[in-house]
Amino acid sequence: MAIQFNFVSSMLIIVLLSISSVEGQGGGGGGVIDVVTKFGAKADEKTDLSKPLLDAWKEACASTSPSKIVIPKRIYFVSTATLDGPCKAPIELQVQGTVKAPADPGAFKEPKWISFNRIENFKLSGGGVFDGQGTTAYKREGCKGHAYCGSLPINLRFDFLTNAMIQDITTKDSKQFQANVLGCKNITFEHFTVSAPDESPNTDGIHIGRSDGVNVLNSEIKTGDDCVSIGDGSKNLVINGVTCGPGHGISIGSLGLFKNEEPVDGVTLKNCTMTNTSNGVRIKTWPCAEPDTCLNIHFEDITVTNVSSPIIIDQKYCPWNKCKINEESKVKLSNISFKNIHCTSARPEAVKIICSATLPCENVKLADIEITHSGPTGPAVSQCLNVKPKVSGKQNPTACSAPIPAKPTPTA
């Protein structure tokens, strides 16, 4: 994993050095493109920025020299924008101001607001804010009469990017996922901020699927769903230095719901903090669903404070009771470790490892677990089913020492 991370970091440094040299570029186009001074963008929160932005993107994408597009400090309105590649040279989009989405969910024909598609050597930076204005959508009012409720827009989509850096950017109040990563290779989020209220439904901070070499570093995520959710086909992920809460924790899955899902292989989560979340670190798979595999998963140096389910493998994941809960999951879990996870649980079930009876979990390790709970329901407990974990170091609660209730507490 370290080799993969160092290689990715080196590639990104090379890309960023090439992008940072755009000022003063000579022939072949390139240089700095200001959407206000060159394309007449207006910061009145009414005039649509989409055309000036797309015109600037068209010019930059055609350049044979590195380019930087700048959205200066101020507040802008963007109806929707899709920035397509491939482009001829590296591009940086520097968002210094705030861009706002339409507040009305019915204004969107597709489940996306700002999209970046099939670009190589790309950087998004500038300290700016993407404001999805999702408050109206959180109420889910009038959904029976509107098709948009099933396809609410995602603030930021990153589709099929190679060698990308998302740095010093805030996404807030998306109507659905805050950021979605699909089919990407070597993409890093650093100092990435997510802000949404804890009552905002289905607003995962960063959702990752079918991507190789994703890094989420030194970021702060507050939302109403998973801070980071990792879907099928994800490989070689590093999540380091993330603070999460409120939210549902950091989750792998849910897996096994759809046909032809791809394996999850190689996830390392370190030096993260969860505060007032419903889960800490979690793997969730559906019972009686489709086959898949999830392997080489490592959670290490995690602080959990007032977290309802700090450590959880849930192969009976069945939200809204829309599954055959009495049947077994077909997702095989193996080579999973939980190391140096400590602090406090909001409920007694501090450790809950519920594996499939058909495909029991293999090579699960618990090392140096110190999680306490104080309340009228008793001290912290550790529950295990269809797994024999390898235990080392301190174990509080004692590993696998509590019985599994007939109806385990469902997780969000």
Side-chain angles (χ1 to χ4, degrees):
M1 182 61 66
I3 294 173
Q4 172 73 19
F5 177 71
N6 290 335
F7 172 76
V8 171
S9 300
S10 300
M11 289 296 294
L12 285 169
I13 289 169
I14 293 170
V15 171
L16 296 179
L17 285 173
S18 67
I19 293 175
S20 65
S21 65
V22 298
E23 298 194 37
Q25 286 281 350
V32 178
I33 304 169
D34 187 312
V35 297
V36 173
T37 58
K38 186 162 188 178
F39 291 101
K42 295 182 179 180
D44 57 10
E45 300 185 52
K46 296 179 181 179
T47 304
D48 196 348
L49 180 66
S50 295
K51 188 177 187 305
L53 177 58
L54 292 172
D55 288 344
W57 183 264
K58 183 178 180 181
E59 179 178 315
C61 194
S63 170
T64 56
S65 299
S67 301
K68 180 189 292 184
I69 300 169
V70 176
I71 300 177
K73 288 184 178 180
R74 291 179 195 170
I75 301 175
Y76 305 84
F77 169 76
V78 179
S79 59
T80 185
T82 297
L83 305 180
D84 284 317
C87 298
K88 295 182 178 180
I91 297 180
E92 177 177 359
L93 175 59
Q94 190 176 90
V95 180
Q96 300 172 355
T98 296
V99 292
K100 289 187 173 184
D104 179 8
F108 294 87
K109 296 180 180 179
E110 297 181 274
K112 60 182 181 177
W113 176 35
I114 308 292
S115 297
F116 303 91
N117 183 47
R118 300 187 185 278
I119 310 163
E120 187 172 350
N121 300 332
F122 171 69
K123 182 178 181 180
L124 176 62
S125 67
V129 178
F130 291 87
D131 184 352
Q133 299 205 93
T135 305
T136 301
Y138 302 155
K139 299 175 183 178
R140 297 295 196 264
E141 292 177 349
C143 277
K144 291 183 179 179
H146 297 84
Y148 67 72
C149 288
S151 57
L152 290 164
I154 294 166
N155 261 16
L156 300 172
R157 286 197 65 107
F158 303 97
D159 296 333
F160 308 103
L161 305 190
T162 301
N163 297 334
M165 170 70 83
I166 317 302
Q167 187 177 54
D168 297 316
I169 288 293
T170 295
T171 171
K172 63 173 293 188
D173 295 341
S174 180
K175 297 173 180 67
Q176 202 198 142
F177 294 172
Q178 304 284 342
N180 190 81
V181 179
L182 176 66
C184 291
K185 187 172 183 179
N186 300 342
I187 179 172
T188 292
F189 293 80
E190 187 172 22
H191 301 300
F192 186 71
T193 301
V194 173
S195 177
D198 57 3
E199 68 271 14
S200 56
N202 204 32
T203 53
D204 294 27
I206 304 174
H207 178 73
I208 302 164
R210 304 207 173 191
S211 295
D212 188 348
V214 180
N215 302 303
V216 183
L217 311 175
N218 304 318
S219 296
E220 182 179 9
I221 302 176
K222 299 178 179 181
T223 193
D225 211 298
D226 293 332
C227 290
V228 181
S229 56
I230 300 164
D232 79 290
S234 300
K235 299 186 293 183
N236 303 313
L237 271 60
V238 174
I239 301 171
N240 194 318
V242 170
T243 61
C244 168
H248 292 181
I250 296 178
S251 297
I252 297 174
S254 56
L255 301 177
L257 182 59
F258 301 106
K259 291 183 180 296
N260 302 316
E261 289 190 358
E262 297 179 5
V264 174
D265 186 356
V267 177
T268 297
L269 192 151
K270 293 187 67 174
N271 303 317
C272 293
T273 300
M274 320 278 177
T275 304
N276 298 325
T277 55
S278 56
N279 303 287
V281 291
R282 172 171 65 159
I283 302 172
K284 51 182 177 176
T285 77
W286 290 81
C288 185
E290 300 297 324
D292 199 358
T293 59
C294 177
L295 66 162
N296 302 320
I297 312 298
H298 305 291
F299 305 106
E300 185 174 352
D301 299 333
I302 311 297
T303 300
V304 293
T305 302
N306 197 40
V307 171
S308 296
S309 297
I311 296 174
I312 181 165
I313 293 177
D314 184 5
Q315 294 210 260
K316 291 283 189 179
Y317 180 71
C318 186
W320 319 293
N321 294 317
K322 291 186 176 181
C323 62
K324 297 178 181 178
I325 190 67
N326 293 324
E327 299 193 24
E328 299 298 326
S329 176
K330 299 175 184 176
V331 179
K332 179 65 176 179
L333 307 182
S334 60
N335 300 338
I336 299 166
S337 66
F338 302 91
K339 182 178 180 181
N340 190 28
I341 301 178
H342 60 276
C343 218
T344 60
S345 175
R347 294 195 308 208
E349 299 88 358
V351 180
K352 183 158 54 175
I353 304 178
I354 310 298
C355 297
S356 169
T358 304
L359 296 168
C361 298
E362 292 185 351
N363 194 26
V364 174
K365 298 178 181 179
L366 293 171
D368 298 311
I369 307 300
E370 176 67 35
I371 303 174
T372 61
H373 169 77
S374 60
T377 51
V381 298
S382 173
Q383 302 171 335
C384 301
L385 182 67
N386 303 315
V387 61
K388 295 180 179 179
K390 299 175 182 178
V391 176
S392 63
K394 190 169 185 177
Q395 295 291 320
N396 182 25
T398 303
C400 305
S401 58
I404 299 292
K407 291 185 178 181
T409 305
T411 60

